[in-house]
Structures are given as C-alpha cells and as structure tokens.
Amino acid sequence: MAELPTTSVPVDILRGFVADIFTAAGCAREEGAQISRYLLSANLTGHDSHGVIRTPRYVQWLQEGKVVAGQDIAIVHETPTHAIVDGNWGFGQTIAPRAVDLGIAKARANGLSVVGLRRTGHIGRIGDWGERAAAAGLISLHFVNVAGGELVAPFGGVDRRFSTNPICIGVPTKQGPIILDFATSLVAEGKVLVASNGGKPVPHGALIEPDGRLTSDPRTLYGPIEGTHVRDSAQGTGAMRTFGEHKGSGLAFMCEMLAGCLTEGGTSGPIPGGKRTRIANGMLSIYLAPGSFGAARFEDAAREYADYVKASRPAGAGGEVLIPGEPENRNRVERLAKGIPLQPETWAAICATARGLGLTPPAVPTPNV
Ligand code: NAD
C-alpha cells in the first residue's frame, strides 16, 4: 500500500487532546494524562505504532471492560529480591511504571532484582521502562509477551503461535541511557496498523499467507480494511513473521517462557479448556545495580565502548554507525520541534473516538502533500 501524506500535530495539542479523550472515557484526569504522556513518548521516539494510533483501541477496551481504569499492582509473590505482581487488568501505562518502580527499589536495596508482571493492559513502548530504570542508575532487561495475542508464526510454520514479544535492554550512562528495544516479529504489529492506515508500508516478507506466500499486505493480518477505521487481527487469515529466521523465532519463544509461563500470566496460545476474552501483556524484568557488581566505572566504560563502536568506518558513503537508542533520541528532538506526523486515517479515527465521547477535536494543519 502506498504511503499517504501526513499532518503534523503540535505535541502539546496532541498530548492534551488524548488526555481529554481518556478522561472523558472514564479515567481520572491524572491517569488520562499519564496514558497520553506515554503514548506521546512512543510517537516522539518515532514508534508511531505504539503512539496515539492506539487511542481508539484502548478506549474500546475500556468501554468493553477489557481494561480497567484506576488500578494498582497487587503483589502475588515476594522476596527481598524478586516479586510477581498482578496488574489487575489496569492500563499498562498506569501499571507498568509501578512494577518497574518495585524492581528499582529492590535492586537499589539488594544490588539486583527480578519482577514479573502479569495481567496488565498494553504496556506500549518497552523502551520507556528501560529508560525509567536507567534514570535510577540501573541496567535492566525486559522480556515481554501478550497473553492471548497470537499474531506471529514460528520459524518454519504458517500458523500464529507467538505475539510480537519485544525485548528491551537498557544501560545507564552519564550522557543518557543506551536503550535497545525491539519486537521479535520482523515489524511490530502497530507498524502493520500504521501501514493499513496509509502510513509507511511494512517490508515484503513481514507477513505470511496460510499457503506460505510472503507478503507485505496488511489485509493478511486484518482482512478487508476498506471503508472501516476498525482493525481486527482476528479477521486476517495469515500471520506475521519473526525477524532473523530461527534466531528471532527462538527469542520470541523464550519471551513466552519468561513473560508468560514464569509469571503465570499465560502464553499467547489458547488457555487449556477455556476461551480468552481479552489480551494482557506479561513482562519479566531483571534489574542490575552496576556498583553492586564492583563495576564502579560501568557508566564510563559503557560510553567509551559506544564511542568506539560509533567510530567504525561507515559501510556506505555518507553513512553512519548508530548505537541503540540513538534513532529514538534524534526523533525526539525533531518531533518536539516539528510536531507528530499522523496519517489522515489515524487522525480521523482518534477524532471519531473523541466525538463519540462528546469532545470537539482541535483544529490541525492540513496534510503536507
Ligand atoms: P525497530 O525495528 O524500530 O527497532 C528499534 C531498535 O533498534 C531500537 O533499539 C533502536 O535504537 C534500534 N535501531 C534502529 N535503527 C538503528 C540503526 N540504524 N542502528 C542501530 N540501532 C538501530 O522496533 P520495532 O521492533 O518496530 O518495535 C517498535 C516498538 O514496539 C518498541 O518500542 C517495542 O517495545 C514496541 N512493542 C511493544 C509490544 C507490546 O506488547 N507492548 C509488542 C511489540 C513491540
């Protein structure tokens, strides 16, 4: 599908509008603002797939009772160094920071910690959680799955068995965090969503038809999309594919083990003898305090090595080596200045949700053609 022109919405206007939508939908003002802030964080870092495009779907989940406003984490199991916490089906943007803060507190007290989170709404861009830990001076590793969110075929197969299962590793340095954060699918599901709205097309082979044909057509995932704002992955007959052939598929499998089986939040697959009515993110997070390993120079050593990697001669003329997190940092600077580019279909869907809640959308510039 061809890419459509975008409109640039100033960050403050978009942030306020999305906060108003969640507040009108039933969240307390503070919670609505926090959901909006994290969605905008995804847009600002260039991950539009996990940004405000999610607003209509989140509101629909709230209205259907699939996600619940005003929730907190509940401790299911706890020791000084580790915990399993339940998200009570709260918004991921409310629940995840609290689970991360628990891991931070335990790692500060004991040098390291492991926190498993289960039964929470969509926790969005996982890099936000790596950044939160890094701001507290901690290294962190996050393995994520989506219980009930089967979208991705395993290497060698065509049937959906995994969710898009992201992995994030964050490292603190004095010049800012270094954050690796990606889905184990070839592209995040939201990128297929963005493409289906006329945004950047996904690469050929990101999707696979039931007969094994590789494709980039969002209809493989969502079925017919013409004339509707609604994207339902249950309507498509194909699957997404993992990156890196058997390697990405293996990482996706292990995310299910750690974030699904160990947390007991459940895997992407069916519940034995049951039927799922909603999806939930699971996340197993490991936090390490460098000082407790005797690594007093860790932050300096990390930055020195990053500089050394960046000093590699580029493969092509005018090219450049970037380290993890650099593209996101650059996007943030650019988008804070220029606004968030949104496809007309994405903006229309957000406005339709707002109008359904009795809100009047703000005026925005016409698309840049
Ligand atoms: P992606 O393919 O854009 O990869 C992003 C990672 O690669 C970042 O760490 C980035 O810094 C690094 N990177 C990008 N270009 C680079 C370059 N030229 N050189 C060096 N490093 C580079 O990300 P994605 O797989 O599309 O994932 C997008 C987002 O979706 C992530 O934030 C992820 O957490 C999120 N996600 C969330 C869920 C969920 O269930 N909540 C599921 C899937 C994905």
Side-chain angles (χ1 to χ4, degrees):
M1 298 178 68
E3 201 169 344
L4 295 177
T6 59
T7 188
S8 281
V9 185
V11 173
D12 287 346
I13 291 179
L14 191 55
R15 191 182 283 128
F17 181 42
V18 171
D20 287 347
I21 291 176
F22 284 106
T23 308
C27 294
R29 181 76 208 168
E30 199 182 322
E31 182 169 39
Q34 182 156 313
I35 297 167
S36 174
R37 199 167 63 246
Y38 280 120
L39 291 177
L40 261 290
S41 165
N43 288 111
L44 282 171
T45 50
H47 295 293
D48 295 325
S49 55
H50 286 68
V52 297
I53 193 172
R54 301 270 171 169
T55 304
R57 203 185 271 185
Y58 281 13
V59 169
Q60 191 185 342
W61 286 345
L62 181 65
Q63 290 168 338
E64 293 171 353
K66 293 178 175 172
V67 67
V68 185
Q71 297 301 298
D72 199 353
I73 54 170
I75 309 268
V76 179
H77 175 85
E78 188 174 28
T79 75
T81 51
H82 58 283
I84 296 292
V85 300
D86 193 297
N88 288 317
W89 303 104
F91 274 97
Q93 290 74 13
T94 305
I95 295 296
R98 294 184 188 168
V100 172
D101 287 351
L102 180 66
I104 290 172
K106 286 181 180 294
R108 278 186 160 162
N110 300 291
L112 56 79
S113 70
V114 181
V115 172
L117 169 63
R118 69 189 197 197
R119 291 205 324 153
T120 182
H122 190 240
I123 59 177
R125 173 185 172 250
I126 311 305
D128 281 325
W129 319 128
E131 283 173 3
R132 195 172 181 92
L138 300 176
I139 299 167
S140 66
L141 298 83
H142 309 266
F143 300 90
V144 177
N145 87 328
V146 190
E150 272 183 333
L151 293 171
V152 182
F155 179 65
V158 292
D159 294 322
R160 300 180 186 188
R161 288 293 182 270
F162 309 137
S163 61
T164 52
N165 294 1
I167 291 174
C168 170
I169 301 177
V171 162
T173 81
K174 290 195 180 64
Q175 291 78 18
I178 298 175
I179 304 287
L180 178 69
D181 169 31
F182 55 67
T184 50
S185 47
L186 213 143
V187 295
E189 189 247 334
K191 292 196 171 151
V192 188
L193 187 63
V194 170
S196 78
N197 281 356
K200 187 178 174 191
V202 297
H204 181 73
L207 300 159
I208 186 165
E209 290 286 351
D211 61 7
R213 260 181 315 117
L214 303 186
T215 167
S216 61
D217 188 343
R219 296 174 191 87
T220 301
L221 194 63
Y222 300 123
I225 56 179
E226 282 71 22
T228 169
H229 292 317
V230 180
R231 301 284 180 264
D232 180 1
S233 59
Q235 304 306 314
T237 53
M240 301 175 67
R241 292 178 69 232
T242 59
F243 80 91
E245 307 295 346
H246 58 290
K247 301 182 187 182
S249 188
L251 286 174
F253 181 88
M254 288 302 174
C255 283
E256 300 287 350
M257 299 288 106
L258 298 174
C261 296
L262 183 61
T263 66
E264 295 195 323
T267 68
S268 310
I271 316 173
K275 184 170 167 25
R276 284 187 199 276
T277 53
R278 49 189 170 180
I279 61 158
N281 261 140
M283 175 164 75
L284 189 86
S285 302
I286 301 167
Y287 302 91
L288 308 172
S292 76
F293 292 82
R297 278 200 77 254
F298 176 80
E299 293 199 18
D300 291 330
R303 187 52 66 177
E304 283 159 19
Y305 182 67
D307 291 344
Y308 174 63
V309 170
K310 281 190 65 59
S312 162
R313 286 175 298 134
E320 180 187 14
V321 173
L322 302 178
I323 56 163
E326 239 181 328
E328 285 75 11
N329 292 341
R330 289 183 181 182
N331 278 324
R332 201 181 274 123
V333 171
E334 186 183 324
R335 289 181 169 201
L336 273 171
K338 292 189 183 160
I340 306 291
L342 293 178
Q343 274 66 49
E345 181 78 6
T346 303
W347 181 242
I350 296 169
C351 292
T353 296
R355 287 193 193 94
L357 294 165
L359 298 175
T360 305
V364 296
T366 47
N368 319 308
V369 188

